[in-house]
Amino acid sequence: MSRLCRSKPYCLNSFKRAYSVLRGGNGTINDVPYESSIHKTKKSSTPNAKLPSEADVVVIGAGSIGCSTAYHLSKLYGSKVVLLEKDKITSGTTWHTAGILWSYRPSETETLMHLQTRELISEILPKETGEDAGWLKTGTLSTAKTSDGLSDMMQSATLAKTCGVEIYQLKQHEILDIHPLLNVDDVYGAVYSPGDGTMDPATYCMAYLKVAQKHGAKVFENCNVIDITTAENDLGMRKVTSVVTDQGAIKTNIVVNCTGAWAPYIGQMVGVRIPQLTFKHAYVVTEGIPGIRNTPMVRDQATVYIKPQGDALLFGGYETSPHLVENLPKDFSFGLYDLDWEVFDEHITGAINRIPAIANVGIRSTVCGPESFTIDSKPNMGESVEVRGFFVGSAFNSAGMMTGGGAGRQLAHWVYHGRPEFDLINCDIRRYQTHFSNYNKWLWERCHEKFAKRFKLVYKHDQNLSGRNQRTGILHECHASRGALFGCRGGFERPAYYVKDGEGVPNSNLSVPEYDFYGSYGFEKHNSGYQNEVLKDCTYNFAEQSHHLIGQECLTCRTSAAVFDLSYMAKYYLTGPDAEKAIKRLLSRDMTKYPDGRFVYALMLNKAGGIESDVVCTRIRNNSGDPAYYITAASSGELYFQAHMQQVLQDESLKCSIENVTDDRAILSIQGPKSVNILQPLVSAISLKDLKYGDWKEAHVADKPLMVGRLSFVGELGFECHCDSKHAKAVYEAIMQDADKHGVRLAGYRALDSLSTEIGFHHWPDTICRGDNPVEARLTKLCDKTSLYIGSKAVQELESSPLNKKQACFTVDMNVPLYGHEAVWRNDEIVGYLSTADYAYALGCNIGFGYVKSPSITDKFILSGNYEIERMGIRYPATVHISSPFDPGFKRMMGRYSDDDQNKFLSKL
C-alpha cells in the first residue's frame, strides 16, 4: 500500500495511487463508510403486504428525516400513519452520511433540534427498543486560526450556552490535552463541546421504525409514489386527497415530503416549487492511525471536518467549486459518484495541516454522494402555501442526520397541532419571497454561495454577492446616484446606508456586480467598489466608516429629518363580502369600530396566542363603496403572512381574498422634527399639524395622488406617503427638492433598525414571533377584551396564569457592538439571550431586548437582579429596564421636543 508523502506538505498523486491500489487499480468509487450496518437496510423492514386504502398521514421517504417524522407521528396517530420508500430504508442520501452530530448551530431553533436528536439517539430510543441506537459520544474540538475566527465561534457558542449546551473555550496550550495529535501551531483558539458524537445511520433509522411499528405505523419499501391528487373547493383552495403509488392509492389529506434531494420531484406532482439544489459532497476514510481512537471530532474553521472512525479518520469539507447535480435520477439508490480529486485537494491540505499523521497513511474508502442545499443553509420545513396538507421536510444542507430527530418531532407537531413546538420561521418554507426576475439564476447562485461559505466566517453585516438585483424598487437608481450601499433582505435590494466622502460627496460607484462564483468554474474574480465597501463592514468591532455614516443618519433623523424608502414593506388588500368578518378574526383589535382613514397597529395571533405578525391596518372603500382593508407588515414575512391570512379565510370559509400589492404600492417615510417643514408645502390642501397620530388623508404631491398618514417606526414626529409605484419617483423628487435646505438626508435600513430599537419598537420575527405571546411581549394593550379574534381565549388565559418568560430591555456601555443572540446573565445565572440588539446613537450605548426566563416571573424579579451580557465569551455589565429608556412617554412622536435633548443630539453630529 502506498503512503501519503509529506512534501509540500503532501503528495496528491500518492494519495490517488493509494486509493487506486485499494480499489483494484480502476479508481471506481463503490465502497461505503458503514458496510456492516448498511447491509441491514437491504432486508425488508415491514410485514405489511398490502397498502391500506386510507391514512391520516403519509410520509414519503425513509431517510433520517422521514423515519423520525413517522416515528413521532405514530405516537400521535397510531396505525393511521404510513411511511413509503421507493427503494430501501436509508437508500437515498442518509446511508452515505458522515454520521456527525454537533450540539450547536448559529441559531436557537437548529440548536434545539440538534439537542432533541441527541436525546433521542442517546437516551429515548435505547430505552424504547432495548437496543443501542447507533450513538457514540466523542466530543468536538472547533479550531480557529484568527481572532475573528474565534469570535465567530464564540458567538455561536454563547448562544448555545443559553440552550443548555455544555461548551468550553480553550487556549492553545489546552487543546493538546484533549487531542494530542493536533497541530496547533496556527491555531488561535478553540471551542470544546464534549456532548457531541457520531451516529450510525442504519441502526438509528431502524430504531425509529421499530418503535413506530409498535405504535401501528405501516412501513412500505420498494413502493414508488407516482402521483399526489388534490381537489379544489369553492374558495379555490387546493387540498391533498390521495397518494398514488405503483402498489395502489392511499386516501389521505396530509402528505409529508421527506425525500431529501428528490423533494422537488414530489413537489412537482402538486405544483409546489421547493427551492433547493443538489451538489456532490465528498469525504474519505483513512487507514488506521496510531493513537486516534477515543479522540474527539475536529471542526477546523474554513477548512475541514474530521471524525474518528474506529482506528481511522473520516474527513471532508465544502469547496468553492462544488459539482452541481443537474438531473438527479429518480431511481438513484445506494449510489455514489467518482470523486474529483482536483476539487477535493483543498480538503486534503486542510486535514493534513490539522492532523499531520494523516500524511503517513493510505485510505480505506471514499464517498462522493448527492446532498441537497438551500439559499440560506436552513432546511425547508412546514406546510406549503399552494396546497393545504402538503408538508415538506427536506434540504438539510448535509445536516439531516444531526437535525433529523428534532426536525421529525417538529414536523409531527406541526401536522398534528398546526404549528411546531417553537418558532421555526428561519426554516419555514414560507420564508422565501416569490418575486424574482430570474428564479433559476437566483437559486443557483445563492445555493452555490452558501455551500462555498459553509465553513467560512459569518459577519453580521456581510452581504450576499449571489442572487442580487432580482427585485429592485422603482427608486433603485435614485438611491444609487446618492451613494446607497445596497443590502439584500428578503430578496429585495434596499439601501443599507449612504456612502459619502469627507466633503459629503456621495459615492455613486457602488453597483452590485454580477456574481463571480468566487473565481470558480472559470469565472474571473471581481474586485469591485461594492465588494470593497462591504468588506469594511466585515468586522466584529465597530466598522469605522459605516458606524459614523449610520450615526449621522440616525442623529439627523432625531435633530432634523430623514427620508426612508419603505417600499419593500409587505402590503395587502383584504377585500370581499366577508372582509369585515375576516378582519375581526385576523387582528387583535376590532378594526370595524375605527373610522375610515385610521391606521391601527395590531397583532395577528394563532390559536395558542403566538404572534404570527404585527401589522398596521386601515379601512378603505372599494369601487362599490364596500369596506376593504389595507394592511402593511414586515417585509421579512411577506409570503408567510399572506399564507397565514389565506389559511384563516379558507379554514373559516370566509368569502374574501388577500391581494399582495407589495410591488404595486410605494412608501416614502419622512421622520423627524422638521418633517412638517418638508412635507407641508407639498400638501398645502391639508394641515399636517392637525393630523392626529394614526390618521391619514388623501392628498397630492407633484400632482400625483397618494395617502399621507401620521405614523412613525423610529419614535419621531413623522409621516408616510403611500402611492402607486408608478408615481413614486415624482413624489420622491418633490420631497428631496428642498431636503438640503432643511438639513435632511436619506437614511437606510441600518439606521431604521437602530432608531426603532432605540425607541423600543418591535422587529418581527426577532423581538416577537409565533413562539411569543402578547403577555410575554408586553403587548396586551394591542389586544381587545373580546373573543372575536383568533387567539383571544389563549390571551385571556395567559393574562391570569404565571409566566415563565417576559421581555426586558438592556443597555450596555461597551466599546464593541451587540448584534443579538448574546447571553443574558442575572446574578451569575443565564436567564435568556438578546433577541435583537443595536447601537443607540442618541443614548450613546448598545441597547437590546430579550426574554428573561424564570418560573412565575414578575417585573419585580426582573428589576431586582444584577445583569451582564455575554458577548463572544466575555461578560459586560448591563442595566435592565422594563422598556427603552429613550423617550418612554413617546413625547417626540407627538411633536413635543426638549431643547436640551436636541442640543445634546446636535453636539453628537
Side-chain angles (χ1 to χ4, degrees), residues 469-533:
N469 294 322
Q470 290 283 330
R471 197 177 184 190
T472 56
I474 197 72
L475 299 177
H476 185 270
E477 292 304 321
C478 297
H479 296 310
S481 67
R482 287 181 174 262
L485 180 81
F486 287 95
C488 188
R489 281 186 170 183
F492 208 118
E493 298 290 330
R494 61 185 79 173
Y497 54 91
Y498 293 81
V499 181
K500 299 180 179 181
D501 63 18
E503 303 298 322
V505 178
N507 184 346
S508 58
N509 188 33
L510 296 175
S511 60
V512 181
E514 278 291 308
Y515 185 49
D516 61 6
F517 291 90
Y518 293 89
S520 299
Y521 312 122
F523 284 86
E524 183 178 351
K525 196 169 184 178
H526 295 317
N527 182 25
S528 69
Y530 178 81
Q531 288 168 291
N532 292 334
E533 197 67 38

Side-chain angles (χ1 to χ4, degrees), residues 56-68:
D56 285 342
V57 188
V58 174
V59 181
I60 308 174
S64 167
I65 309 300
C67 290
S68 173

Side-chain angles (χ1 to χ4, degrees), residues 56 260 306 690 902:
D56 285 342
I306 306 173
D690 292 337
Q902 295 306 92

Side-chain angles (χ1 to χ4, degrees), residues 154-310:
M154 291 307 301
Q155 184 171 249
S156 297
T158 299
L159 177 63
K161 288 182 186 178
T162 71
C163 299
V165 176
E166 185 183 5
I167 199 161
Y168 306 96
Q169 181 178 355
L170 302 180
K171 296 180 180 178
Q172 188 185 56
H173 69 274
E174 298 172 311
I175 298 172
L176 293 178
D177 293 335
I178 295 174
H179 200 314
L181 297 186
L182 252 60
N183 165 35
V184 297
D185 291 346
D186 62 344
V187 173
Y188 184 88
V191 169
Y192 179 51
S193 47
D196 297 355
T198 68
M199 313 163 72
D200 176 68
T203 306
Y204 172 56
C205 290
M206 289 305 178
Y208 277 133
L209 298 187
K210 184 175 181 179
V211 179
Q213 288 173 320
K214 282 183 180 179
H215 288 283
K218 299 173 179 65
V219 183
F220 294 87
E221 295 179 307
N222 300 306
C223 185
N224 190 33
V225 174
I226 56 178
D227 196 15
I228 298 173
T229 64
T230 62
E232 189 173 296
N233 66 10
D234 294 339
L235 297 173
M237 175 183 68
R238 285 198 301 142
K239 295 186 69 173
V240 169
T241 56
S242 74
V243 175
V244 182
T245 78
D246 56 5
Q247 297 181 27
I250 306 172
K251 183 180 179 181
T252 186
N253 294 127
I254 301 175
V255 167
V256 188
N257 177 8
C258 297
T259 55
W262 293 266
Y265 293 135
I266 302 297
Q268 287 172 5
M269 294 178 183
V270 291
V272 172
R273 189 163 60 183
I274 301 175
Q276 62 182 68
L277 289 179
T278 301
F279 291 101
K280 295 178 183 178
H281 179 57
Y283 62 80
V284 301
V285 181
T286 71
E287 288 183 326
I289 298 175
I292 207 64
R293 285 187 182 274
N294 301 318
T295 57
M297 295 183 289
V298 176
R299 181 163 47 170
D300 195 42
Q301 195 169 57
T303 54
V304 293
Y305 57 83
I306 306 173
K307 166 196 163 184
Q309 190 153 301

Side-chain angles (χ1 to χ4, degrees), residues 93 95-96 278-283 325 332 335-337 367-371:
T93 61
W95 76 276
H96 63 67
T278 301
F279 291 101
K280 295 178 183 178
H281 179 57
Y283 62 80
V325 181
F332 191 94
L336 292 173
Y337 304 103
V367 168
C368 181
E371 293 282 1

